[in-house]
Amino acid sequence: MPDKKVFIFDTTLRDGEQVPGCKLNTNEKIEVALKLEELGVDIIEAGFPISSPGDFHSVEEISKMVKETTICGLSRAVQKDIEVAAQALKHAARPRIHTGIGTSDYHIRSKFNSTREEILARGVQAVKWAKNFVDDVEFYAEDAGRTENDYLATVIEKVIEAGATVVNIPDTTGYCLPHQYGEKIAYLVNHVKNIDKAVISCHCHNDLGLATANSIAGVIAGARQIECTVNGLGERAGNTSMEECVMILKQHKHLGFFTEIRTPLLNPISRQVSDTMRMPVQPNKAIVGSNAFSHSSGIHQDGFLKNSLTYEIISPEDVGADGSKIVLTARSGRSALAFRFQKIGYDFTRNDIDVLYEKFLKVADTKKEVIESDLHDMANSYRLNAALA
Ligand code: KIV
Ligand code: ZN
């Protein structure tokens, strides 16, 4: 395994689909899964098979249709869950069972009314059950973000000993700061003696808007898998956004990491997921928002038109976006106005633009955005007046 490859584990169809109103039927899930495979994700978490017959069916059908990508099914550390997950995955070319248990004291005491020793034993047992069905077993230590590092290291060492090939360190509540999450991963790298036998995975939630930053901190500290969703969909404030992580690793080449994602497909899949899940993307969302490549203030537009690198660090084609946009508002300048006139076929001189700009500002003050038909109206009345003068 190349040391600097970061595996992309997509959980849009499991953690993402848990969002109220985002439920998909099996056909919709298959369509998204096939696109995720084309995009180049390494693992698709297709669902939680024991949770409902519908989810079982979706995992089973996706397992039949997807040929290259690993298909993963979620389970609790419960024998029946694991058996059902294995059954749903039986047609998968590359099946993975994702099993685990809460390891923070909140989970151990309040959720399970249990002890650290008992939870450790249940986690180890779950991995052993899963190993009866598949080689590729991922263990999650739910709420690892708030689990004491020493205990977490013991759990991780024992589940790797039991056969876990991937160890997932979820910041389930989105509580950690990036340096804390990075330190947690570094702690595991330095204190778990068999850590080289497994891939460490980041699974971060976005309750404080830190999911992407935490995942990247985790990778820098030694993790090599990021669990994420398209458009950052997920429980509450969402999961780590796939497009953000992939582009951070791509743009910061000096870090040396890479993924297999075909980045020009990022915007098309964002639109597909948004449409199928009926969940609009916020306009200012990084990489895939409708304003991600729009420039509207005069200072930015002038700089961008002289050299796009002045105000754009990513080229829209690289992420499959429609292209950079020069939007005309009351904050726009003369160069943007001249550029937009030129784009629709008017070659005005500097003097023309000076006159037109005054008219433009009057119109712009009455509207949110000056559009192409406004420009035609302005140009026509300007030419008429010039002809009559
Ligand atoms: O956020 C979380 O802890 C999870 C686990 C079930 C992996 O989604
Ligand atoms: Zn989660």
Side-chain angles (χ1 to χ4, degrees):
M1 179 183 59
D3 191 31
K4 291 282 193 159
K5 163 156 174 175
V6 177
F7 290 86
I8 297 297
F9 175 115
D10 180 89
T11 184
T12 308
L13 298 177
R14 199 278 298 171
D15 226 343
E17 204 237 14
Q18 287 173 205
V19 177
C22 282
K23 179 144 183 26
L24 301 183
N25 63 37
T26 298
N27 285 340
E28 290 168 328
K29 279 193 165 193
I30 291 172
E31 274 173 32
V32 173
L34 292 173
K35 287 290 175 202
L36 288 169
E37 177 166 55
E38 202 180 318
L39 179 67
V41 309
D42 299 282
I43 303 104
I44 296 171
E45 187 164 50
F48 182 7
I50 200 155
S51 67
S52 74
D55 227 35
F56 179 95
H57 184 59
S58 297
V59 175
E60 194 175 37
E61 293 307 305
I62 289 171
S63 297
K64 289 179 193 162
M65 301 288 289
V66 170
K67 299 283 177 268
E68 296 292 328
T69 313
T70 295
I71 302 299
C72 177
L74 185 76
S75 70
R76 294 167 297 181
V78 171
Q79 190 168 9
K80 185 75 187 156
D81 277 36
I82 293 167
E83 285 166 5
V84 171
Q87 218 184 326
L89 291 165
K90 70 173 183 291
H91 298 287
R94 294 190 168 89
R96 174 182 295 182
I97 293 179
H98 190 189
T99 189
I101 195 158
T103 52
S104 70
D105 288 337
Y106 293 100
H107 283 237
I108 296 175
R109 306 230 159 92
S110 312
K111 198 164 115 181
F112 299 116
N113 189 22
S114 184
T115 61
R116 287 186 174 185
E117 294 68 32
E118 196 180 294
I119 292 298
L120 170 61
R122 284 171 67 176
V124 168
Q125 181 60 68
V127 172
K128 289 184 179 161
W129 281 323
K131 277 305 240 196
N132 290 330
F133 300 103
V134 293
D135 290 333
D136 191 1
V137 174
E138 173 167 341
F139 176 82
Y140 64 85
E142 195 178 2
D143 205 16
R146 293 186 300 169
T147 301
E148 196 236 312
N149 284 348
D150 204 26
Y151 175 63
L152 183 62
T154 307
V155 172
I156 295 304
E157 189 170 314
K158 295 294 172 203
V159 297
I160 295 175
E161 220 169 85
T165 44
V166 182
V167 286
N168 179 9
I169 313 300
D171 183 21
T172 305
T173 59
Y175 176 73
C176 291
L177 293 170
H179 75 276
Q180 292 170 329
Y181 191 74
E183 280 164 16
K184 191 171 280 290
I185 301 297
Y187 187 91
L188 298 175
V189 170
N190 294 323
H191 292 84
V192 174
K193 66 173 190 295
N194 52 3
I195 199 70
D196 58 316
K197 305 274 183 305
V199 171
I200 302 177
S201 184
C202 307
H203 179 114
C204 298
H205 280 264
N206 205 32
D207 300 66
L208 292 172
L210 291 170
T212 296
N214 285 348
S215 300
I216 299 297
V219 167
I220 291 171
R224 288 293 178 273
Q225 178 175 284
I226 295 178
E227 306 198 5
C228 48
T229 58
V230 174
N231 299 336
L233 281 172
E235 288 264 358
R236 308 182 307 279
N239 283 60
T240 302
S241 145
M242 182 206 291
E243 53 279 0
E244 292 173 10
C245 287
V246 165
M247 290 314 293
I248 289 169
L249 297 179
K250 188 164 181 184
Q251 294 306 108
H252 287 273
K253 289 202 171 40
H254 63 281
L255 294 174
F257 299 112
F258 70 95
T259 72
E260 306 284 352
I261 298 297
R262 297 178 183 98
T263 61
L265 298 179
L266 286 172
N267 266 273
I269 195 149
S270 160
R271 280 194 291 270
Q272 180 182 353
V273 166
S274 166
D275 291 349
T276 340
M277 290 196 166
R278 294 160 285 277
M279 184 59 84
V281 177
Q282 71 191 63
N284 60 328
K285 169 80 182 64
I287 323 293
V288 294
S290 55
N291 285 348
F293 297 96
S294 289
H295 306 273
S296 71
S297 91
I299 296 172
H300 288 211
Q301 290 172 330
D302 186 52
F304 172 82
L305 290 169
K306 286 173 175 147
N307 177 353
S308 63
L309 293 178
T310 326
Y311 284 100
E312 268 184 8
I313 60 158
I314 299 170
S315 81
E317 306 80 62
D318 200 18
V319 292
D322 285 341
S324 308
K325 280 184 238 143
I326 295 289
V327 179
L328 293 177
T329 70
R331 304 289 154 262
S332 299
R334 286 174 176 73
S335 43
L337 184 63
F339 172 81
R340 286 288 304 272
F341 270 131
Q342 214 166 32
K343 273 199 96 173
I344 56 171
Y346 300 100
D347 217 359
F348 288 123
T349 64
R350 229 189 149 94
N351 284 345
D352 294 332
I353 290 293
D354 280 343
V355 179
L356 279 160
Y357 187 65
E358 297 309 315
K359 293 182 189 303
F360 161 76
L361 284 180
K362 288 202 179 90
V363 178
D365 265 339
T366 66
K367 314 185 72 179
K368 284 195 174 16
E369 186 184 333
V370 174
I371 58 173
E372 209 169 291
S373 57
D374 298 319
L375 295 180
H376 284 301
D377 290 347
M378 273 183 244
N380 289 338
S381 88
Y382 178 70
R383 282 183 168 168
L384 190 66
N385 287 342
L388 292 175

